[in-house]
Each structure stands twice: as C-alpha cells, then as structure tokens.
C-alpha cells in the first residue's frame, strides 16, 4: 500500500494513528446511536427477510474487528472464537440469521466495547508500517469502513422497520443557486480510473489505469422525484417497451408501480421515511428504485444509464490539468458544504444542492445524497489483486451485480471517495439508490 503524496498524515505514524482512532471512534458513535434508540425487541427482530436483525450487525462488527485487528494485526489470543461461525456473513444468509444463537443485546454491546478497548491499545503500539495490513494504517481504515458500511445497512433496517420514528436529524441545507443546465458535455479523451495511491482504498478500486472514452453528455444532477413522477404518470410501469426482459418480468411478478415506500392516496403521492409519512418532495433525488427501474426510466427519457467509466470520469477528471482528483471538488476530504454524507441528515438534499462540491465541469451531487446505478457489471480492473481476502470483492465479480457509485446521505466520508465502488443485485430497492442518465454526444458537438 502506498500513500497519497499530498497527504502529510500518510507519512507520519502519529498522525496516522490519530486519523485511524478518529475513524474508529466516529464509526462506533454512529453504531451506538443506531442500536440504542430502539428497545431490545426491535434489536432482535428481523424487520425484513432482506436484512439481518440489528443485533446481528452489532456483534458482527465486533467480531470482524476482533479477527482483523486483535488477532491478525495485534497477534492477540481470540476472545470469542466460538462465535466466528455465527457472525460469518458468507456462511449464513440474512433470512436465516434470526434462528442463530445470537448474542443478546446487552452481551453484544459488552463484547464490541471489550474488543474496541483492546483494539485501541493495539493501535497505540502498532508501527503502522512494515507489512501490507499495517502500511498507512490500512487494516484500521478497512475496519472503520466496514463498521460504517454496516451502519448504513442498519440505517436501511431502520427504514424498513415499522413503528414510530426512532431517529431524528436536521433537514439538509437548501444551497441551490439558480437554474442549472440539464446536462453537461464530458469531452472525449483518456483519464485515469481507479487508484494506486489512496491509502485506505479497497482492492476493487485498484490499480489506477488509463481509460479512453468518447465524448458523452451526463445529467447535471440526479433524476428528481418530480421527473420520475412524469415517468409514472405517463404509464411507464405499464409499457413493456421501456423495460429489459428481466425487468419487465420482475415488475409484473411483484406488481411494482412506484419506488419502494411510495403510495398514492387522496390524490397525492406519499412516502414513508424512517417512521414518518409525508408527501413525496418533487425536488429531491428519487430514492429506493432498482436498477431495472432506473434503466426503464432512462429508456423512456430517450437516454441511458452512464457506464461506470463515464461516471468516474465525470466525477474525477479535471480537463484543465488532465489529472484525476480524489473527489469532484478536489483532493481535500469531504466537508459539510461539499456533500450530504454521514447521516447528518435523513434524506437527500434537493437536486442542484452543494455547489461547493461540483466537478470541474459543473456536475452536482456526484458524492452523497443517493447511490447512483450505472449500466456496468461489477468486474475487476486490469491488474486486480485480491487483498486482504477474496470474499471482499473477487467472489462477486462476473455475476449479476451492477455497480453503484457516489455514496448516499447514509455513507460516511471514510467509506466514500471518487474511486469507491459499490455493487448490488438489479432487483434491490431497499438501498438508498437513485440514478442520473447519460447519452452519447452528437459527433458535431463532440
């Protein structure tokens, strides 16, 4: 693992130690908030067969931390080897996890706290160099990202949970600044995709490599609820011509007619959001749509979903200097004026928000707000090497998974960057996913 040349922390063990501690503690604060706002019944219940009980995620977070940071990095004796199998995500599908001998809530909280206290001691005494797991504090960054990813998973479970609201957050800022062009031209040419220098980048983001793309046009903002309503009201869910064969079969089989959590009542569209029922806000990015729905909308609009390569070029490529940035706005870490991240808010911001976070070409909200479906299958980059275990990425390559990019309001900055790749099945709707569309550039305009 090499480090970012512009980042002094990546060369200073003490600064790295502080960065890793901050990331771990921030993740734990969020985990605690998500698991102490409901009672034990809600922690142990399975709110959807698509998701684990919250208490499974809680103890799984601690078990992964124990296995990687106490045992692999710290060379410490195992605390609870008897539960490794119970919390192995590959051994037990989510639908089966409620029947496992799970740690009860109090014991799970105690276990993760015990692991964390020992991990902080390991961190304090680690050289953070000398082997791939330690270089630049990679293992600690990996576990912080893992916990934040499960925090997003637990937030999805909170959205699926029925009952009164358990979570609150302020509204996102309305930082739009007037009318924007509907689409932006991304010129033809090469760009650098992926990374070989981001210290905590995961294996599927590596290595950096050159891609050559023709010119294309991409939406300035994600597709809004209002625009998606036009598709619904034009009979989009009833017209087979807009859908892929698999998508059409899925829509018919499951009687889909709108995004998940929407319903039509009293002459208006309503949605359920974290226990609150409210009118669908037309100016927010559409949320909780599957890849099939995004693909059908794009076809209805006379457009298409962007490829993963197009999305990353739109997000990272600086045509002035010809380099790829870490984020659309530059190399600095995300701040509250750049993007809607980290569960600061419990909803996307209106389309066109966060002008400070736009790309060099003027494209908005590429990071945060909603995960964005792309047309691409999840595949390895040229020169890919699995690290530190095959099950993180490699076992998913070449299957039915589609790539999502950009992160949602539920993603923490530690687990979100311009190179970060997410993937899921094209039927998934419970995730915080939306999309934007693209089209080939007219040869004259290109």
């Amino acid at each position: 693992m090499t480090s970012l040349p512009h980042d002094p922390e990546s060369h200073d063990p003490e600064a790295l130690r502080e960065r890793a501690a901050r990331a771990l503690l921030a993740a734990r604060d969020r985990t605690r908030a998500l698991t102490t706002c409901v009672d034990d019944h809600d922690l142990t219940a399975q709110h959807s067969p698509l998701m684990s009980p919250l208490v499974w995620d809680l103890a799984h977070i601690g078990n992964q931390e124990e296995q990687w940071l106490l045992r692999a990095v710290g060379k410490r004796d195992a605390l609870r080897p008897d539960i490794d199998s119970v919390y192995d995500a590959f051994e037990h599908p989510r639908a089966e996890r409620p029947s496992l001998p799970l740690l009860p809530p109090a014991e799970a909280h105690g276990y993760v706290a015990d692991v964390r206290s020992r991990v902080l001691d390991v961190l304090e005494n680690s050289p953070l160099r000398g082997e791939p797991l330690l270089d630049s504090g990679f293992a600690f960054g990996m576990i912080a990202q893992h916990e934040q990813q499960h925090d997003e998973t637990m937030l999805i479970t909170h959205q699926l949970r029925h009952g009164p609201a358990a979570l609150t957050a302020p509204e996102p800022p309305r930082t739009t600044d007037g009318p924007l062009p509907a689409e932006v031209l991304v010129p033809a040419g090469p760009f650098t995709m992926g990374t070989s220098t981001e210290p905590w980048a995961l294996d599927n983001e590596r290595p950096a490599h050159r891609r050559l793309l023709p010119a294309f046009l991409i939406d300035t903002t994600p597709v809004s609820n209002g625009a998606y309503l036009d598709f619904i009201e034009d009979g989009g869910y009833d017209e087979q011509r807009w859908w892929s064969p698999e998508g059409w079969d899925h829509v018919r089989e499951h009687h889909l007619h709108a995004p998940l959590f929407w319903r039509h009542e009293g002459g208006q569209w309503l949605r359920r959001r974290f226990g609150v029922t409210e009118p669908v806000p037309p100016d927010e990015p559409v949320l909780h749509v599957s890849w099939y729905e995004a693909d059908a909308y794009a076809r209805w609009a006379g457009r298409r979903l962007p490829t993963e390569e197009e999305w990353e070029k739109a997000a990272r490529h600086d045509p002035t200097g010809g380099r790829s940035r870490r984020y659309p706005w530059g190399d600095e870490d995300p701040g509250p004026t750049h993007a809607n991240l980290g569960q600061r808010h419990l909803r996307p911001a209106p389309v066109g928000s966060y002008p400070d976070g736009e790309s060099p070409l003027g494209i908005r909200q590429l990071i945060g707000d909603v995960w964005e479906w792309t047309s691409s299958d999840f595949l390895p980059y040229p020169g890919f090497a699995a690290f530190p275990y095959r099950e993180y990425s490699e076992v998913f390559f070449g299957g039915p998974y589609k790539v999502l990019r950009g992160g949602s309001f539920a993603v923490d900055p530690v687990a979100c960057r311009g190179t970060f790749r997410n993937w899921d099945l094209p039927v998934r709707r419970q995730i915080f996913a939306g999309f934007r569309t693209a089209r080939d550039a007219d040869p004259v305009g290109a």
Side-chain angles (χ1 to χ4, degrees), residues 314-360:
R316 299 185 63 215
H317 182 63
D318 184 349
T320 303
R323 62 180 290 269
S324 288
R325 300 172 166 193
R326 294 179 72 208
Y327 299 97
W329 55 85
D331 292 336
E332 66 268 30
D333 289 339
T337 66
H338 292 130
N340 182 6
L341 292 167
Q343 202 184 312
R344 287 195 304 269
H345 316 290
L346 287 171
R347 64 196 304 163
V351 295
S353 296
Y354 296 100
D356 289 351
E358 71 179 18
S359 76

Side-chain angles (χ1 to χ4, degrees), residues 112-123:
V112 299
D114 187 17
V115 171
R116 174 53 57 84
S117 67
R118 296 166 190 259
V119 160
L120 293 177
D121 183 62
V122 170
L123 175 62

Side-chain angles (χ1 to χ4, degrees), residues 2-22:
T2 54
S3 57
L4 285 165
H6 71 275
D7 182 1
E9 283 189 359
S10 63
H11 301 284
D12 179 354
E14 290 310 310
L16 266 174
R17 218 179 306 282
E18 182 180 342
R19 180 188 179 202
R22 286 198 310 267

Side-chain angles (χ1 to χ4, degrees), residues 289-291 371-374 402-404 424-425 428 431 433-434:
V289 289
S290 67
W291 184 90
W371 285 107
E372 298 185 15
W373 289 110
T374 72
K402 294 294 185 180
V403 174
L404 302 104
D424 215 326
L425 297 170
R428 289 288 185 251
I431 60 177

Side-chain angles (χ1 to χ4, degrees), residues 229-291:
L229 274 168
D230 291 340
F231 169 66
I232 295 173
E233 293 170 356
D234 195 44
Y237 280 85
D238 301 314
E239 288 280 353
Q240 184 174 356
R241 59 182 167 151
W242 306 131
W243 299 82
S244 67
E246 299 83 2
W248 181 248
D249 289 345
H250 183 71
V251 164
R252 297 295 93 191
E253 179 183 355
H254 296 278
H255 309 289
L256 304 185
H257 62 276
L260 186 60
F261 307 115
W262 287 29
R263 71 175 190 265
H264 197 257
E265 186 178 288
Q268 65 176 332
W269 284 96
L270 304 174
R271 72 175 182 186
R272 179 168 60 84
R273 182 178 62 84
F274 298 110
V276 175
T277 298
E278 61 190 12
V280 170
D283 61 348
E284 281 186 14
V286 68
L287 191 63
H288 297 302
V289 289
S290 67
W291 184 90

Side-chain angles (χ1 to χ4, degrees), residues 36-59:
T36 58
C37 62
V38 291
D39 60 22
D40 285 2
H41 171 76
D42 274 341
L43 285 176
T44 56
Q46 186 172 45
H47 299 282
S48 165
L50 296 172
M51 310 303 290
S52 309
L54 290 167
V55 76
W56 185 93
D57 285 289
L58 173 62

